[in-house]
Structures are given as C-alpha cells and as structure tokens.
Amino acid sequence: MTNETMKNKTLIMGIESSCDETAVSVVSSDKEILSNIILTQLEEHKPYGGVVPEIAARSHIDHLNGLVRQALSEAEVGFEDLSAIAVTSGPGLIGGVMVGLMTAKAISFARKLPLISVNHLEGHALSIRLTDDVAFPYLLLLVSGGHCQLLVVKGVGNYERLGTTIEDAAGEAFDKTAKILGLDYPGGPAVEEAALKGDAKRFAFPRPLKGRSGSNFSFSGLKTAVLRAKDSLVAEKNGILRRQDICDLAASFQAALTDAIIDRVKNSMDYYLEHYGTKDNMFVVAGGVAANNSIKEKLTVLCMQKGFELKAPPMNLCTDNGAMIAWVGVEKFAQEDFAELGIGAVARWPLDPDAAPAIGGGRKA
Ligand code: KG4
Ligand code: ZN
C-alpha cells in the first residue's frame, strides 16, 4: 500500500480472544478486510464437549503474538501504518479477554497508538455494516453458543434489547443436545446433519415460551425433554438406540427450537414495526447458529411475511473473528471514542444497560 493511499483512510487492528477463537484482523475505514486470521481451539476443547476457560486462556497466550505478526504481514502493513488498536474487553471468558486486552495495551503503549475498547456483542451487532450498506436502525437476532438476543441496533453504542435468553443460548442447546444424543462437538452442525435424515414429527417436544408476549428465549426445558425422550427410548429398547432414533430425536429437537425462535422473532418484528418501522425494514441475523439452514429458511419466510429484508454477514464473519472487532474500532475511531490504558476486562457487559434484567438471565443477559 502506498503512503498516499494510506493517508486517506483509517486502518485498525482488531484483536478477539473472548471465547475459543484467537483472532486478529486489519480492516480499513473503506471496508477493506486486509487480513483476517482466525485460529480456532475446537480440537483442544473437543474431548470435554465444551469450552474449558483455563485451556482457552492458555491457548490465547500461546498464539496471540504470532497472529498479530501474521495479520500485519498478510495486510502488508506495519504497526506504524495503523491508526489504532481495537480489542474485545468483554463480555466473555475473563482469562481469555485479559490476554487480548493486555496484548492490545502493550501494543498501544509501545507504538503510541490509541486504544479502542470493544464490546464483543457490538462486534457481532455491527459486522453487517462492514460487509453491506446497512443503515441504522435495524433489528438484530444474535444467536451463538454464548448469546441469544434480539436487539434494535439504533447506532454505535446505542441499543434497545427486546429479548434475551433466560438460561441457555441457542447454540448451547444444540451443543448439549448433541452430547445427549452422542453426536459430535460442536453440536450445531452435527444435530443439523442428523436431523436431515430424521422425522421431525416423531417427538412432540415443547416450544418454550411460544405464544407468550415479549421476545425472551428459553431452551433448557427443551433440552431436558430430549434427554427424557432418549432415556425412555433406551429403556424401551434395552439400551440400544438405532441411528434412526437419534436422527428423529435430532429432527424433532431442531423443529421445536426453530419454532420457538420464530415465535420470539415474530413478536420482536411487531414491536419494531410499531416503534421504528419505515419502508425499508432490515432484519439481520448473526452468530454461529445463523449457519443452520432450518432456522434460516423459516426466518426467510417470516421476513417475507412481515416485510423485512433479511441480511446476514458471510459465515466467517458470523462466527467469532477479529474483523468485526476492528470494524467497531473503525466506527468508534470516527467518533474519537478511545479508551484509557487503565481499563479492565469485563465479564458481563450488556449492550442495553437499561433493559430490565431477564429473570435468571445471568451472564448471557
Ligand atoms: O458464534 P459462534 O461461533 O461462537 C460463539 O458462541 O461466540 O457460535 C458457536 C455455536 C455453537 O454452539 C455451535 O453448535 C453453533 O454455533 N452452530 C450451529 C451450527 N453451526 C454452528 N448451530 C446450529 N446449526 C448449525 N449449523
Ligand atoms: Zn461471539
């Protein structure tokens, strides 16, 4: 890149380490992703069927410095070309967040670069503006392994939360169900694949909160229902489940979860249309669960019915990545919203601090 080109744009490095991906990216203010390196720790956590915080933090330490170098070299820039360092400083697994934050602080101090503190959820929420021309406001469904929320994205740092899960996130429900059914980790893709060969009508699982007002989510009862159905099948068949039984359980679970999500989204759309509706209503879906075709198909139909345009970032930007953090950096840089070197890592950081707490909402609220 020539000095002339660089002078006219902001270049931000984004660092992400709040869960089980170590990720570093360099993004420009004209929406160019110059590098986007993502190292997943999937294999390290697989034996435990879920993310182990201690293993995650240690792995971030082992790899982050190398990824920072790699992100600069792929982008063909040096620290001196950057305008600022953006980093996830919460919410997430605190040990991992601290690794990313301390690395970013060190770079900021040593290279005299402004530090930008980014809420991981805001990374997901704004990533669609990196890939598409989506203006504020829009309705967002954020569905991942750690989060399940419906939000009105009104602007940078300006959100109205319409709903959140009162216990498990949707991805977590997929992962736990996969474990119950003896399927692979992560559970989402494994359950989806098994469901393709299953009969979704064989088991009448509950659709938690369906028909109730509001847009909160609940999935733990559904997961328990799958466990009970599986246990009684096992008892019935003297301990031997056929592959078809597993596929039917998976398909029935996925149908129930999808139905429950659609019902909650429908309520949020009605609310959105009443309070924010225009002639161009945007519905954005982000997070790992957005990869699920059954959910995506039903959301597409719902959007058509309610007059929303459906948008989703490409899959590699839906799951955790550094580009979405760098992009929030670009948006905050424009507002000169910089952080002090003394800031701490935060485990819980709601996008809408004024939202009434969901009963049992805990860390996911
Ligand atoms: O956004 P993500 O990569 O990580 C965070 O949780 O932040 O999401 C991972 C979650 C996992 O729970 C995984 O099982 C789920 O997304 N997932 C899916 C699918 N692919 C990934 N869930 C349902 N269907 C899928 N195809
Ligand atoms: Zn995430």
Side-chain angles (χ1 to χ4, degrees):
M1 198 176 301
T2 65
N3 283 343
E4 203 41 50
T5 357
M6 247 154 10
K7 237 185 271 165
N8 304 322
K9 54 181 159 196
T10 307
L11 275 193
I12 309 280
M13 172 175 280
I15 296 178
E16 159 59 36
S17 60
S18 66
C19 192
D20 58 345
E21 266 91 27
T22 322
V24 187
S25 168
V26 177
V27 165
S28 78
S29 49
D30 54 10
K31 305 192 175 193
E32 206 183 339
I33 301 174
L34 297 156
S35 61
N36 187 23
I37 322 283
I38 305 168
L39 187 75
T40 178
Q41 304 171 357
L42 213 60
E43 292 303 320
E44 290 170 72
H45 300 288
K46 209 173 213 166
Y48 308 95
V51 180
V52 183
E54 174 84 13
I55 294 176
R58 286 171 187 269
S59 184
H60 290 307
I61 286 236
D62 288 345
H63 298 110
L64 193 49
N65 286 3
L67 294 195
V68 167
R69 269 195 297 274
Q70 201 183 335
L72 286 174
S73 113
E74 277 197 21
E76 297 183 20
V77 296
F79 282 122
E80 64 283 4
D81 300 314
L82 298 177
S83 318
I85 300 285
V87 61
T88 298
S89 47
L93 302 173
I94 204 71
V97 174
M98 282 159 71
V99 172
L101 184 57
M102 288 312 292
T103 305
K105 284 184 181 187
I107 297 171
S108 160
F109 181 73
R111 298 287 173 161
K112 300 192 170 38
L113 288 167
L115 181 70
I116 299 175
S117 161
V118 176
N119 181 322
H120 176 84
L121 298 174
E122 183 151 49
H124 284 297
L126 301 187
S127 58
I128 194 69
R129 286 166 55 80
L130 167 59
T131 55
D132 290 69
D133 279 328
V134 174
F136 299 123
Y138 51 90
L139 181 60
L140 172 79
L141 170 65
L142 171 52
V143 263
S144 69
H147 301 278
C148 191
Q149 305 198 349
L150 278 157
L151 297 146
V152 180
V153 185
K154 296 194 274 186
V156 181
N158 189 5
Y159 297 85
E160 180 179 352
R161 196 189 73 197
L162 305 185
T164 187
T165 179
I166 58 173
E167 8 69 0
D168 291 352
E172 206 171 356
F174 270 101
D175 294 335
K176 287 179 177 171
T177 297
K179 215 170 181 176
I180 292 169
L181 300 182
L183 298 170
D184 221 355
Y185 173 81
V191 169
E192 183 172 16
E193 198 194 332
L196 281 176
K197 298 177 208 109
D199 173 6
K201 296 210 171 75
R202 178 161 165 205
F203 301 94
F205 290 140
R207 273 68 174 153
L209 300 178
K210 187 171 173 182
R212 302 262 289 272
S213 61
S215 296
N216 280 340
F217 300 87
S218 162
F219 300 112
S220 84
L222 172 55
K223 173 197 68 195
T224 310
V226 176
L227 178 63
R228 284 218 192 91
K230 184 209 143 189
D231 284 349
S232 63
L233 263 187
V234 168
E236 217 174 90
K237 303 192 170 187
N238 299 322
I240 302 160
L241 280 195
R242 287 174 307 133
R243 174 72 189 166
Q244 192 57 51
D245 295 325
I246 303 285
C247 292
D248 293 346
L249 285 163
S252 303
F253 159 79
Q254 186 176 264
L257 180 134
T258 305
D259 252 18
I261 288 185
I262 294 297
D263 179 72
R264 314 282 74 210
V265 173
K266 204 188 288 172
N267 286 356
S268 75
M269 284 179 166
D270 290 340
Y271 179 90
Y272 184 93
L273 291 172
E274 191 183 335
H275 295 88
Y276 299 92
T278 60
K279 61 179 183 25
D280 302 308
N281 301 302
M282 291 283 175
F283 177 75
V284 176
V285 56
V289 183
N292 187 282
N293 287 310
S294 156
I295 298 175
K296 242 185 322 201
E297 278 163 23
K298 292 269 168 56
L299 283 175
T300 308
V301 174
L302 180 65
C303 280
M304 271 169 6
Q305 287 167 348
K306 295 276 181 189
F308 279 79
E309 188 179 340
L310 178 66
K311 294 263 185 198
M315 216 42 236
N316 67 330
L317 296 183
C318 258
T319 50
D320 289 350
N321 64 89
M324 69 182 191
I325 304 305
W327 176 253
V328 177
V330 169
E331 302 241 35
K332 285 188 148 188
F333 188 91
Q335 301 185 347
E336 297 181 30
D337 185 354
F338 302 120
E340 300 292 330
L341 269 185
I343 60 159
V346 271
R348 190 176 174 278
W349 183 358
L351 281 176
D352 176 3
D354 299 330
I359 298 158
R363 75 186 166 88
K364 278 138 210 155

